[in-house]
Amino acid sequence: MTAAADPVKLMKQEVGRAAANLIQSNSIVGLGTGSTTAYAIQFIGERLKSGEIKDIVGVPTSFQAEVLSKQYGIPLTTLDAIDHIDIAIDGADEVDPQKNLIKGGGAAHTREKVVDYLANQFIVVIDSGKLVDKLGSVFAVPVEVIPMAVTPVMNAIAKLGGKPELRMGVKKAGPVVTDQGNLVVDVKFDDIPDPVNLEKTLNNIPGVLENGIFVNCADKVLIGEVKDGKPVVQEM
């Protein structure tokens, strides 16, 4: 199968395009991380280049988003230079029926959380495989931890009933290091009955910078699916 005909890739492109089409001129845009959001960044760049929209400035949530934005000609700014974000586009690893999310498969959840919560409108782009009845069904909760605190944090998480595991690098010896220079502990919970409280509890452990549970922040969820070999995009 050629890459051009890959239905999953086409579907991710269509979800990215649907999100990029929500961007209006004169906007400050939060640019998320991950494969589907990468297509949104590409299409925002294309809309800018064609003159369909103008005066867009982006706030990247990761080194990946920064590199892609530069590649596609989207001017960037920092949170120091702005007082609001109009719209943010980002992916998720799990989405429950209340639009609560688990994010952080790409270890960028801390910066994503800062940007996505600031945005007046937060658009989540996913494929239907990311939909779950309850958070934590499939995906572990990523917790960003300062390096010196990894052992006490993992012990504290185990006391909460979680199964913590230090995320190790792929094609790299040793653990994954975030853009902030920290480590990621992936925590599997048998059940997350109350994501709102679990988010707070995890963040209150000394040494934890942030975790990948996002509650009460997603405004719109765009879901891509492949039906009869064709990409379909629906809104949750």
Side-chain angles (χ1 to χ4, degrees):
M1 182 184 284
T2 61
D6 177 358
V8 174
K9 183 179 170 185
L10 283 173
M11 176 264 292
K12 286 187 171 194
Q13 285 176 331
E14 287 310 307
V15 181
R17 194 191 304 275
N21 285 340
L22 296 169
I23 305 295
Q24 296 173 345
S25 292
N26 310 304
S27 298
I28 300 171
V29 185
L31 300 167
T33 307
S35 55
T36 308
T37 317
Y39 288 120
I41 292 173
Q42 179 187 337
F43 292 126
I44 292 167
E46 287 177 7
R47 291 186 71 205
L48 260 177
K49 195 176 171 187
S50 71
E52 195 183 316
I53 50 175
K54 60 183 194 331
D55 299 324
I56 296 296
V57 62
V59 181
T61 58
S62 64
F63 186 63
Q64 182 216 22
E66 194 174 320
V67 169
L68 282 170
S69 303
K70 287 175 179 167
Q71 189 183 329
Y72 292 113
I74 302 171
L76 297 177
T77 187
T78 64
L79 294 176
D80 296 328
I82 56 174
D83 62 0
H84 73 285
I85 293 173
D86 295 297
I87 185 168
I89 298 171
D90 214 340
D93 298 299
E94 280 191 355
V95 181
D96 77 3
Q98 286 73 48
K99 295 184 187 162
N100 296 317
L101 322 171
I102 289 181
K103 290 172 54 47
H109 51 284
T110 298
R111 282 172 65 177
E112 289 170 344
K113 200 176 260 194
V114 172
V115 169
D116 297 344
Y117 274 80
L118 265 179
N120 297 336
Q121 192 182 22
F122 173 31
I123 312 295
V124 180
V125 289
I126 56 163
D127 59 78
S128 58
K130 307 284 170 69
L131 295 171
V132 294
D133 293 329
K134 280 182 91 167
L135 280 194
S137 309
V138 185
F139 212 80
V141 177
V143 180
E144 183 163 346
V145 183
I146 62 171
M148 67 166 281
V150 165
T151 301
V153 165
M154 286 174 80
N155 291 340
I157 285 171
K159 283 188 184 137
L160 290 175
K163 296 181 193 68
E165 200 173 287
L166 186 62
R167 188 182 299 183
M168 302 308 281
V170 178
K171 298 185 181 175
K172 168 197 178 293
V176 166
V177 178
T178 69
D179 287 352
Q180 287 75 248
N182 298 312
L183 305 178
V184 177
V185 174
D186 288 309
V187 187
K188 197 74 188 93
F189 289 95
D190 291 333
D191 192 26
I192 302 179
D194 186 353
V196 177
N197 269 326
L198 182 60
E199 187 205 14
K200 287 189 191 128
T201 304
L202 288 170
N203 279 357
N204 278 334
I205 299 170
V208 170
L209 183 60
E210 192 49 87
N211 70 81
I213 299 175
F214 285 51
V215 289
N216 306 324
C217 78
D219 296 299
K220 197 182 278 241
V221 180
L222 298 177
I223 305 155
E225 224 174 337
V226 177
K227 284 187 177 163
D228 305 326
K230 290 191 175 63
V232 184
V233 181
Q234 288 170 318
E235 191 179 325
M236 185 169 175

